[in-house]
Each structure stands twice: as C-alpha cells, then as structure tokens.
Amino acid sequence: MADVDDLPIEEQDDMPELVETAPQPQQSAAAEVGQTSSDEFKKVASKRKRKMTDKMEVDKPANLPEDPSRKRKKGEMGEVRKIPVPPHRYSPLKDSWAKIFAPVVQHLHLQIRFNLRSRNVEIRNSKDSDDIANLQKAADFVKAFVLGFEVEDALALVRLDDLFVETFEVNDVKPLKGEHLSRAIGRIAGKDGRTKFTIENVTKTRIVLADSKIHLLGSYQNIRIARNAICSLILGSPPSKVYGNLRNMASRAAERF
C-alpha cells in the first residue's frame, strides 16, 4: 500500500468567491437620500438671525386696533411747560391766581400748579384736553402775565390766534447809560404815562416798561407800528412828531382795511 502522504491532494474550491455587495446598497441609499433632500431642500436661517427675529417678534406687539387716544395719552404726562416766575411777580401771581387758574382749567382743560421749590408755574395736559395747541396757549398766557401784562390783556392770547409778545431792550436800539437811559425811558412813558397810553390806543397794543426792557403785546402789524414809534422816542424824537407819524400810519392802516 502506498503511503497516505504520497497520494496527490486535489485542491477544490468549494467556497465561491465573495463579492462586495454591501457597499452597493449603501451608495444607493445615500443617493436616494441626497435626491430626496435636494428635492425638499429649504433655506434655513442662521442661529443669530433666528434669535434676532424671535426677539423682534417678542418685542413687537400684536396687531391690535389702534386706540385713537393712545398718541395723546402717550404725551399726556410728558408734555409739560414750565414758566419761571421772578421774585417781584410772586405777590401779583398770588393775588391773581384765581383769574389765571379758571381759564386754564375750565376752558383749556389743562392742569396747572405753582411749584414752591423751583418757583415755576407748571402746566401739563390732562385726559380732557382735546387740542395740543392749548398747552402752548396757556404757557403764553402765563408768560405774558409774568412779564407784567394785566390778566385781562394776557387772556387775549388764549382767545385770539394772531397775537404775539415781543421783547426788546433800549440798548438794542441805542446804547445808553445813566441819565441818558433814564430820560429815554421817560420819553417813552411820558408825563403820567400819557405817551405810552397814546401809543397803545392808536396801535391797539399793550406796552409794559420793565426797567430797560420793553414788552409789546398785539398783532404783528400793530407791534411793528408801536415798535417804530418807541424806537423814534429812544433816538430822541419829540413826542409831538411821533404822534403825527402815528396818526398818519393809523389812517393808512384804516384805509387798507
């Protein structure tokens, strides 16, 4: 018997060769995912942009119907006018407070008070105030009284729309000092205030002489006529000549109207 080791051994490939089939389904799945993602692709905002939009949406109020009184209520507490009062006007303000208080509260529907600490007259809107211009009218009214006008004269600023207050000094017209300044103020006032009263009656204005300051209350055209007459007196013109010029200007104004 031949040895078992001498027998030839035949190599048989019983096992078939392995084929790499695993990567193929993975590639097809990836391709399908890519295809579906490309079809359903949506632009996504960055995180920072999303935070900003979310913040804006939170801060922005909902679309509610606007309240017509919201704008007025917004400025209700903020709209305030403060008129400083000099020391020499404390007593007249205290005596005439009832006359000042009534038109501001009853007719203009505003709130008014005198602040003892700051020495200011403070005016502000209220819930009943309808017109925004009423606040400025009341401030002009109180300011005119503080300058020295009578309450009845200053009240015309509330009733009429075409009235103004103008202020200038004697030194604005001509620089004067000492007795020259006193004489110029005396020429404007006249004996017992006759010159001042004549200018007021002819020009339909009101004049207040406060030391070297001159305050005029009236319409624009009438203030211009009165200012020209006062400037002529400051420059040294005699009152008789100023009266003649006033008569001529008043007659011309009457012819125009």
Side-chain angles (χ1 to χ4, degrees), residues 7 22 39 42 46 78 89 95 118 145 154 162 171 225-226 228 237:
L7 291 175
D39 294 340
K42 293 182 181 179
S46 61
R89 296 298 292 173
D95 297 337
S118 61
F145 176 80
D162 298 332
N171 290 326
I225 297 172
N228 292 336
S237 298

Side-chain angles (χ1 to χ4, degrees), residues 159-230:
R159 297 175 178 173
L160 303 176
D161 295 332
D162 298 332
L163 296 183
F164 307 94
V165 176
E166 183 176 343
T167 302
F168 66 96
E169 295 186 13
V170 175
N171 290 326
D172 295 338
V173 181
K174 185 178 181 180
L176 299 173
K177 295 181 180 179
E179 294 182 358
H180 298 286
L181 179 60
S182 301
R183 282 195 293 269
I185 297 172
R187 283 195 299 271
I188 297 171
K191 186 179 180 180
D192 297 331
R194 292 177 184 174
T195 304
K196 183 174 78 73
F197 292 147
T198 303
I199 296 174
E200 288 179 346
N201 294 331
V202 173
T203 59
K204 297 179 181 179
T205 58
R206 290 294 177 266
I207 302 172
V208 172
L209 299 177
D211 195 14
S212 62
K213 291 185 179 181
I214 301 168
H215 309 292
L216 301 174
L217 170 63
S219 63
Y220 177 77
Q221 185 178 4
N222 294 338
I223 286 177
R224 183 172 59 85
I225 297 172
R227 186 179 63 243
N228 292 336
I230 293 172

Side-chain angles (χ1 to χ4, degrees), residues 81-138:
R81 297 288 188 275
K82 296 182 180 180
I83 300 94
V85 181
H88 68 278
R89 296 298 292 173
Y90 291 161
S91 296
L93 182 65
K94 183 179 179 181
D95 297 337
S96 304
W97 182 251
K99 297 179 181 179
I100 297 172
F101 179 87
V104 173
V105 175
Q106 295 176 4
H107 299 286
L108 300 180
H109 305 290
L110 301 173
Q111 297 176 355
I112 183 172
R113 72 171 183 177
F114 180 69
N115 194 332
L116 294 174
R117 292 184 178 180
S118 61
R119 298 292 182 178
N120 293 334
V121 176
E122 299 177 356
I123 307 171
R124 72 177 183 182
N125 282 329
S126 65
K127 296 180 180 180
D128 299 331
S129 60
D130 301 329
D131 192 0
I132 303 176
N134 289 344
L135 188 63
Q136 188 61 41
K137 285 183 179 180

